[in-house]
Amino acid sequence: MHTVVVGTSGVTAADVLAVARGGARIELSGEAVAALTAARAIVDQLAAKPDPVYGVSTGFGALATRHISPELRAQLQRNIVRSHAAGMGPRVEREVVRALMFLRLKTVCSGHTGVRPEVAQTMADVLNAGITPVVHEYGSLGCSGDLAPLSHCALTLMGEGDAEGPDGVVRPAGELLGEHGIAPVELREKEGLALLNGTDGMLGMLLMALADLDTLYKSADITAALSLEGLLGTDKVLAPELHAIRPHPGQGASAANMLAVLKGSQLTGHHQDDAPRVQDAYSVRCAPQVAGAGRDTMAHARLVAERELASAVDNPVVLPDGRVESNGNFHGAPVAYVLDFLAVVAADLASIAERRTDRLLDKNRSHGLPPFLADDAGVDSGLMIAQYTQAALVSEMKRLAVPASADSIPSSAMQEDHVSMGWSAARKLRTSVDHLTRVLAVELYAATRAVELREGLAPAPATQAVIEAVREAGVQGPGPDRFLAPDLAAADAFVREGRLVAAAESVTGPLQ
């Protein structure tokens, strides 16, 4: 099994995905253990002094003015975990919780949190055992970190609350730890707070969304190319010299992908056969511009994610010179903004894909295709209601594109008076990415049928490879009406699992 070694820095997006989705094992490097030990020594020194130090010998948030005596500090750390584990609603997905825990471990190992090495090792042991704390949908405001979600994870480290075992069954966390020989942690000064104070949930969901969107943007270039073929459109608008004079990198990449997919097609460039048509509709002609702008937004989001991966987010933090300082680095604004940006571009990509689908189904705009791509229009409804489903998904995506990060509700008796709502931005982005997959699956379903109905004209080798692969995957071609839901589900899986991109790349080579 793949192993990720955690040091004081250098964790990558690939590492996060390997742990969250691939079940990779985790090891702590000697460098990390040394950094943990050194930072803990500083915390212990401060804890022994009579002067109050926030997070070490005081209360938290609006209660930070109270000095806590030594005999109550272990109780304080337990209490902050128990009281902050206040999430409600449905359970969060296993991969999100694993990303959340791993990213918190990454920051703990930076040596800036003051957590003991044995606490960090327990975090790694829980992940390696396949134990997943029960984390709920609601509870994080994305400021002071993802407090409630991280608290539920810390509760599991203490042997309290509920967790899911490697068998998928939810049981008391103490039982699961015992079965795997993991001793519950006894938290000491600063440790409870350090386990809760991070942007780890929203960052983990950002990294997974970027990985999924990378596949989906390539998928969208392929479905757009198929729709262009189905509509007998022109590929001249994809010429590199046209995109060079508006040099947005994403636009150029999308145009190049479409051109590669369409290479050798007999279905493109038939405008001369249809005198009233001078140029294609925007949803076809401007596909690279829209998808390209989304790609460039993703590039900015990756930059933010890389910076956040290189960060040690906690409050207070232990500095190399021995100071323990309060700060505002836990505020989720940088991550929240790009999560919202991605929901906007995902909604627009879905919107333009839906417009192409509708055009394929409309006999007045499809340039010779049967109404709704039906076998016997009137007797058969064809793909009429598949487009309804697609439209419903797009409509919801537009609602999900309303930014969460523009909102703020003060908390903690006005001490935390401006919050990021980044967790909420991440949660709605996950739904949006899920919907985008389905929207592209419907376009794929319609476009492949349209291309097959253009008898006597051969599609490009790459699109032919896609058609053959999607038919082998159980998505049926033209014919009389049938139960559509299974076909749509098979198309969804074909896109979701990356098989659409793989089929096209079997001819084109790697797409951008």
Side-chain angles (χ1 to χ4, degrees):
M1 181 180 288
H2 179 61
T3 298
V4 173
V5 179
V6 182
T8 58
S9 63
V11 166
T12 66
D15 292 333
V16 177
L17 294 172
V19 172
R21 291 178 164 174
R25 292 188 60 79
I26 301 159
E27 291 181 5
L28 306 187
S29 71
E31 172 198 33
V33 173
L36 286 159
T37 302
R40 185 65 207 180
I42 293 171
V43 171
D44 286 341
Q45 290 170 10
L46 291 171
K49 293 181 178 180
D51 302 324
V53 178
Y54 177 70
V56 177
S57 53
T58 70
F60 311 114
L63 304 176
T65 55
R66 179 177 171 184
H67 182 258
I68 308 298
S69 59
E71 66 273 12
L72 294 176
R73 290 177 190 168
Q75 181 181 340
L76 170 68
Q77 299 302 318
R78 289 194 299 272
N79 284 351
I80 190 176
V81 173
R82 289 167 176 164
S83 65
H84 285 44
M88 296 181 73
R91 285 178 55 197
V92 171
E93 302 86 358
R94 182 176 185 270
E95 67 177 15
V96 172
V97 179
R98 286 184 62 82
L100 173 75
M101 288 189 70
F102 176 66
L103 285 166
R104 195 70 218 140
L105 175 60
K106 178 270 299 181
T107 287
V108 163
C109 288
S110 70
H112 290 293
T113 67
V115 169
R116 289 169 295 151
E118 50 264 46
V119 176
Q121 186 60 57
T122 302
M123 296 172 76
D125 292 343
V126 167
L127 285 164
N128 289 340
I131 297 171
T132 307
V134 170
V135 173
H136 298 280
E137 180 84 14
Y138 304 106
S140 174
L141 300 180
C143 203
S144 290
D146 292 316
L147 287 174
L150 283 164
S151 297
H152 283 276
C153 294
L155 201 65
T156 294
L157 299 179
M158 293 165 51
E160 300 181 17
D162 293 326
E164 179 186 292
D167 59 358
V169 177
V170 174
R171 297 166 52 198
E175 290 182 13
L176 287 168
L177 295 185
E179 287 181 6
H180 289 84
I182 302 171
V185 297
E186 295 285 343
L187 297 176
R188 289 170 48 180
E189 291 94 342
K190 175 101 175 38
E191 290 179 334
L193 184 61
L195 293 177
L196 316 186
N197 231 327
T199 55
D200 309 291
M202 61 186 93
L203 175 58
M205 286 186 274
L206 172 60
L207 292 168
M208 287 186 281
L210 284 169
D212 294 338
L213 286 169
D214 184 62
T215 298
L216 290 175
Y217 268 79
K218 292 176 185 175
S219 299
D221 293 338
I222 297 165
T223 58
L226 276 158
S227 291
L228 186 150
E229 278 192 310
L231 293 166
L232 300 179
T234 179
D235 59 357
K236 289 184 177 180
V237 295
L238 305 174
E241 58 269 25
L242 294 176
H243 298 277
I245 61 175
R246 195 190 190 193
H248 293 288
Q251 175 180 323
S254 284
N257 283 349
M258 289 183 66
L259 203 58
V261 171
L262 291 169
K263 185 178 181 181
S265 175
Q266 295 179 9
L267 288 163
T268 61
H270 288 273
H271 284 183
Q272 66 273 18
D273 303 331
D274 187 359
R277 182 163 45 145
V278 177
Q279 52 192 3
D280 291 318
Y282 284 9
S283 60
V284 177
R285 190 176 6 137
C286 301
Q289 285 77 7
V290 172
R295 286 170 172 269
D296 290 343
T297 302
M298 287 170 58
H300 171 63
R302 282 196 190 92
L303 178 61
V304 172
E306 288 165 4
R307 289 171 177 165
E308 198 73 1
L309 273 173
S311 303
V313 177
D314 194 14
N315 181 47
V317 292
V318 180
L319 297 173
D321 61 9
R323 287 180 294 147
V324 175
E325 297 284 2
S326 293
N327 66 90
N329 284 342
F330 50 73
H331 200 288
V335 184
Y337 294 160
V338 295
L339 288 162
D340 278 333
F341 296 165
L342 292 177
V344 170
V345 299
D348 202 38
L349 187 65
S351 180
I352 197 170
E354 184 275 330
R355 287 294 80 204
R356 289 191 295 263
T357 304
D358 181 67
R359 186 166 289 271
L360 288 166
L361 305 188
D362 184 351
K363 69 181 182 65
N364 296 313
R365 295 180 291 140
S366 67
H367 307 286
L369 291 170
F372 304 105
L373 305 181
D375 187 61
D376 184 4
V379 175
D380 295 312
S381 294
L383 306 190
M384 179 191 294
I385 308 304
Q387 185 266 333
Y388 283 35
T389 299
Q390 191 186 42
L393 291 163
V394 172
S395 182
E396 182 169 353
M397 289 179 70
K398 291 176 181 179
R399 295 192 295 275
L400 293 169
V402 175
S405 58
D407 188 31
S408 176
I409 296 181
S411 56
S412 193
M414 291 298 288
Q415 177 71 6
E416 299 171 8
D417 60 351
H418 185 274
V419 296
S420 79
M421 302 308 299
W423 174 273
S424 298
R427 296 306 296 165
K428 69 185 182 65
L429 177 60
R430 281 182 70 83
T431 302
S432 190
V433 170
D434 205 33
H435 285 0
L436 176 59
T437 308
R438 297 185 179 103
V439 168
L440 294 178
V442 176
E443 183 182 17
L444 173 67
Y445 190 29
T448 52
R449 180 182 284 205
V451 168
E452 287 182 303
L453 289 170
R454 297 292 190 185
E455 295 179 356
L457 294 170
T463 53
Q464 182 61 45
V466 167
I467 292 169
E468 291 172 2
V470 80
R471 297 291 173 255
E472 289 173 6
V475 181
Q476 299 182 52
D481 279 358
R482 54 183 172 269
F483 181 21
L484 276 189
D487 272 10
L488 295 177
D492 177 28
F494 188 74
V495 175
R496 190 176 303 273
E497 295 165 8
R499 287 182 279 157
L500 170 59
V501 174
E505 289 184 335
S506 69
V507 175
T508 65
L511 296 172
Q512 297 183 50

XYZ file of all heavy atoms in Angstrom, residues 269-319:
379
model
N -17.668 21.595 -40.659
C -17.482 22.467 -41.811
C -18.540 22.363 -42.870
O -18.258 22.559 -44.057
N -19.779 22.074 -42.499
C -20.851 21.935 -43.487
C -21.729 23.178 -43.583
O -22.859 23.101 -44.059
C -21.711 20.699 -43.158
C -21.005 19.420 -43.430
N -21.001 18.803 -44.660
C -20.217 18.654 -42.631
C -20.271 17.696 -44.604
N -19.793 17.577 -43.380
N -21.242 24.321 -43.121
C -22.030 25.548 -43.215
C -22.423 25.857 -44.666
O -23.486 26.405 -44.935
C -21.243 26.736 -42.638
C -21.209 26.726 -41.140
N -20.605 27.722 -40.422
C -21.692 25.864 -40.226
C -20.724 27.478 -39.137
N -21.369 26.346 -38.992
N -21.557 25.499 -45.593
C -21.838 25.805 -46.993
C -23.042 25.008 -47.515
O -23.623 25.358 -48.533
C -20.611 25.515 -47.872
C -20.215 24.041 -47.954
C -19.278 23.623 -46.832
O -19.177 24.310 -45.818
N -18.579 22.510 -47.019
N -23.429 23.963 -46.786
C -24.590 23.166 -47.184
C -25.890 23.729 -46.627
O -26.959 23.208 -46.889
C -24.430 21.720 -46.686
C -23.148 21.096 -47.215
O -22.715 21.493 -48.314
O -22.583 20.236 -46.523
N -25.795 24.769 -45.819
C -26.968 25.317 -45.138
C -26.853 26.840 -45.218
O -26.352 27.498 -44.329
C -26.974 24.847 -43.679
C -28.262 25.239 -42.958
O -29.114 25.874 -43.586
O -28.387 24.893 -41.767
N -27.326 27.415 -46.325
C -27.068 28.822 -46.645
C -27.418 29.812 -45.546
O -26.689 30.778 -45.336
C -27.803 29.186 -47.935
N -28.541 29.637 -44.796
C -28.873 30.652 -43.791
C -27.880 30.716 -42.628
O -27.854 31.694 -41.909
C -30.252 30.201 -43.288
C -30.795 29.325 -44.356
C -29.595 28.653 -44.946
N -27.067 29.679 -42.454
C -26.168 29.647 -41.303
C -24.803 30.206 -41.695
O -24.059 29.599 -42.453
C -26.026 28.225 -40.775
C -25.126 28.169 -39.534
C -25.258 26.883 -38.736
N -25.256 25.678 -39.517
C -24.705 24.518 -39.100
N -24.097 24.456 -37.940
N -24.772 23.452 -39.853
N -24.462 31.330 -41.130
C -23.156 31.930 -41.373
C -22.150 31.482 -40.321
O -20.976 31.263 -40.615
C -23.262 33.475 -41.385
C -21.888 34.119 -41.558
C -24.214 33.925 -42.485
N -22.630 31.334 -39.101
C -21.739 30.918 -38.007
C -22.549 30.162 -36.970
O -23.774 30.260 -36.927
C -21.045 32.123 -37.384
C -21.998 33.231 -36.956
C -21.291 34.520 -36.614
O -20.080 34.631 -36.750
N -22.038 35.504 -36.155
N -21.845 29.395 -36.134
C -22.524 28.596 -35.109
C -22.998 29.477 -33.956
O -22.468 30.570 -33.711
C -21.579 27.528 -34.565
C -21.270 26.455 -35.593
O -22.204 26.026 -36.298
O -20.097 26.064 -35.705
N -23.959 28.942 -33.206
C -24.457 29.634 -32.015
C -23.350 29.743 -30.966
O -22.365 29.003 -30.985
C -25.655 28.883 -31.433
N -23.548 30.670 -30.049
C -22.530 30.914 -29.022
C -22.182 29.657 -28.225
O -21.025 29.448 -27.870
C -23.028 31.979 -28.041
C -22.986 33.403 -28.541
C -22.709 33.709 -29.868
C -23.229 34.452 -27.669
C -22.674 35.013 -30.317
C -23.201 35.778 -28.104
C -22.922 36.053 -29.432
O -22.904 37.347 -29.856
N -23.183 28.838 -27.923
C -22.914 27.671 -27.073
C -21.940 26.708 -27.726
O -21.280 25.920 -27.038
C -24.221 26.948 -26.737
O -24.877 26.507 -27.906
N -21.839 26.778 -29.062
C -20.867 25.957 -29.795
C -19.606 26.756 -30.082
O -18.486 26.331 -29.769
C -21.492 25.448 -31.107
C -20.474 24.642 -31.916
C -22.735 24.615 -30.818
N -19.782 27.944 -30.633
C -18.638 28.749 -31.067
C -17.796 29.254 -29.893
O -16.570 29.396 -30.003
C -19.149 29.928 -31.893
C -18.063 30.702 -32.593
C -18.552 31.814 -33.494
N -19.973 32.077 -33.478
C -20.497 33.303 -33.455
N -19.720 34.361 -33.407
N -21.804 33.467 -33.476
N -18.433 29.547 -28.779
C -17.724 30.127 -27.633
C -17.393 29.094 -26.563
O -17.019 29.463 -25.438
C -18.549 31.247 -27.011
S -18.939 32.591 -28.140
N -17.512 27.817 -26.887
C -17.210 26.777 -25.895
C -15.807 26.924 -25.301
O -15.636 26.825 -24.077
C -17.397 25.392 -26.516
N -14.758 27.180 -26.096
C -13.429 27.322 -25.496
C -13.302 28.549 -24.590
O -12.557 28.513 -23.604
C -12.501 27.450 -26.712
C -13.260 26.903 -27.865
C -14.684 27.233 -27.576
N -14.012 29.623 -24.940
C -13.915 30.829 -24.135
C -14.529 30.611 -22.746
O -13.958 31.041 -21.737
C -14.595 32.008 -24.847
C -13.805 32.587 -26.003
C -13.856 31.752 -27.282
O -14.599 30.779 -27.380
N -13.053 32.133 -28.273
N -15.669 29.933 -22.701
C -16.332 29.690 -21.419
C -15.570 28.645 -20.603
O -15.258 28.852 -19.428
C -17.796 29.265 -21.647
C -18.445 28.820 -20.337
C -18.584 30.413 -22.263
N -15.263 27.521 -21.212
C -14.513 26.491 -20.493
C -13.122 26.987 -20.121
O -12.596 26.664 -19.051
C -14.408 25.225 -21.344
N -12.534 27.805 -20.988
C -11.194 28.329 -20.704
C -11.172 29.260 -19.518
O -10.249 29.223 -18.695
N -12.195 30.110 -19.404
C -12.261 31.000 -18.244
C -12.389 30.198 -16.954
O -11.811 30.558 -15.917
C -13.434 31.969 -18.395
N -13.139 29.108 -17.020
C -13.225 28.231 -15.856
C -11.898 27.593 -15.526
O -11.520 27.474 -14.349
N -11.169 27.180 -16.531
C -9.841 26.595 -16.308
C -8.894 27.598 -15.650
O -8.121 27.244 -14.751
C -9.240 26.131 -17.641
C -9.847 24.865 -18.216
C -9.362 24.649 -19.644
N -9.767 23.361 -20.173
C -9.047 22.237 -20.082
N -7.885 22.270 -19.473
N -9.500 21.113 -20.595
N -8.960 28.848 -16.084
C -8.092 29.865 -15.483
C -8.485 30.152 -14.040
O -7.634 30.442 -13.186
C -8.130 31.147 -16.318
C -7.443 30.979 -17.671
O -6.677 30.002 -17.830
O -7.694 31.806 -18.572
N -9.778 30.077 -13.747
C -10.231 30.212 -12.362
C -9.703 29.057 -11.516
O -9.290 29.243 -10.363
C -11.768 30.259 -12.305
O -12.227 31.348 -13.110
C -12.266 30.446 -10.881
N -9.703 27.871 -12.082
C -9.131 26.717 -11.387
C -7.652 26.911 -11.116
O -7.141 26.515 -10.054
C -9.353 25.450 -12.213
C -10.774 24.949 -12.233
S -11.009 23.632 -13.459
C -9.819 22.419 -12.899
N -6.928 27.518 -12.055
C -5.495 27.754 -11.854
C -5.264 28.670 -10.648
O -4.348 28.450 -9.843
C -4.886 28.361 -13.115
N -6.109 29.696 -10.516
C -6.004 30.571 -9.344
C -6.335 29.799 -8.069
O -5.653 29.945 -7.041
C -6.943 31.766 -9.498
C -7.051 32.600 -8.267
N -5.980 33.273 -7.719
C -8.109 32.852 -7.450
C -6.370 33.914 -6.632
N -7.647 33.666 -6.447
N -7.367 28.965 -8.129
C -7.753 28.179 -6.952
C -6.631 27.227 -6.548
O -6.385 27.013 -5.351
C -9.039 27.406 -7.242
N -5.933 26.645 -7.517
C -4.801 25.765 -7.200
C -3.685 26.530 -6.497
O -3.044 26.017 -5.572
C -4.243 25.128 -8.481
C -5.054 23.988 -9.009
C -4.278 23.165 -10.030
N -5.178 22.227 -10.684
C -5.835 22.472 -11.804
N -5.680 23.646 -12.411
N -6.641 21.577 -12.330
N -3.451 27.763 -6.937
C -2.427 28.591 -6.301
C -2.781 28.830 -4.839
O -1.919 28.709 -3.949
C -2.295 29.921 -7.046
C -1.291 30.931 -6.482
C 0.114 30.369 -6.490
C -1.363 32.235 -7.274
N -4.036 29.159 -4.566
C -4.478 29.361 -3.184
C -4.334 28.064 -2.388
O -3.857 28.062 -1.243
C -5.932 29.860 -3.159
C -6.480 29.882 -1.730
C -6.023 31.257 -3.776
N -4.730 26.940 -2.984
C -4.630 25.652 -2.293
C -3.182 25.304 -1.972
O -2.882 24.802 -0.877
C -5.264 24.557 -3.148
N -2.274 25.583 -2.901
C -0.854 25.302 -2.652
C -0.312 26.154 -1.511
O 0.470 25.671 -0.672
C -0.045 25.546 -3.933
C -0.289 24.490 -5.005
C 0.222 24.913 -6.371
O 0.841 26.005 -6.464
O 0.006 24.165 -7.343
N -0.723 27.399 -1.463
C -0.286 28.261 -0.356
C -0.846 27.772 0.968
O -0.159 27.776 1.988
C -0.742 29.698 -0.632
C 0.006 30.384 -1.759
C -0.650 31.713 -2.116
N 0.100 32.433 -3.155
C -0.385 33.449 -3.851
N -1.625 33.884 -3.620
N 0.350 34.046 -4.761
N -2.096 27.341 0.941
C -2.712 26.856 2.172
C -2.077 25.548 2.621
O -1.900 25.301 3.818
C -4.219 26.691 1.960
C -5.030 26.614 3.232
C -5.177 27.931 3.967
O -4.649 28.970 3.485
O -5.823 27.952 5.031
N -1.713 24.698 1.665
C -0.999 23.465 2.010
C 0.341 23.749 2.671
O 0.818 22.968 3.498
C -0.771 22.619 0.749
C -1.880 21.660 0.328
C -1.547 21.045 -1.018
C -2.079 20.569 1.373
N 0.954 24.859 2.298
C 2.255 25.226 2.870
C 2.113 25.978 4.186
O 3.119 26.382 4.780
C 3.028 26.087 1.871
N 0.889 26.153 4.661
C 0.626 26.957 5.853
C 0.519 26.087 7.101
O 0.192 24.900 7.032
C -0.668 27.750 5.685
O -0.629 28.568 4.547
N 0.760 26.701 8.242
C 0.505 26.086 9.549
C -0.561 26.947 10.221
O -0.257 28.004 10.772
C 1.762 26.027 10.381
N -1.802 26.511 10.150
C -2.918 27.322 10.634
C -3.295 26.880 12.042
O -3.771 25.762 12.249
C -4.129 27.197 9.681
C -5.313 27.972 10.229
C -3.763 27.699 8.287
N -3.067 27.746 13.005
C -3.438 27.490 14.391
C -3.456 28.830 15.118
O -2.944 29.841 14.603
C -2.428 26.541 15.058
C -2.946 25.978 16.384
O -4.152 26.111 16.655
O -2.135 25.401 17.126
N -4.061 28.840 16.283
C -4.052 30.041 17.123
C -4.142 29.629 18.592
O -5.119 28.982 18.980
C -5.236 30.955 16.779
C -5.229 32.207 17.632
O -4.193 32.847 17.776
N -6.365 32.547 18.211
N -3.140 29.976 19.407
C -1.909 30.665 19.030
C -0.932 29.706 18.355
O -1.158 28.501 18.337
C -1.368 31.139 20.379
C -1.853 30.106 21.343
C -3.224 29.705 20.848
N 0.150 30.263 17.811
C 1.186 29.448 17.173
C 2.486 29.553 17.949
O 2.764 30.570 18.598
C 1.436 29.867 15.708
C 0.237 29.536 14.841
C 1.786 31.338 15.602
N 3.256 28.466 17.863
C 4.578 28.431 18.484
C 5.602 28.841 17.438
O 5.682 28.219 16.368
C 4.891 27.021 19.020
C 6.277 26.996 19.672
C 3.817 26.558 19.993
N 6.366 29.891 17.712
C 7.374 30.385 16.784
C 8.759 29.866 17.169
O 9.008 29.538 18.338
C 7.362 31.910 16.769
C 6.047 32.534 16.266
C 6.071 34.045 16.448
C 5.798 32.165 14.814
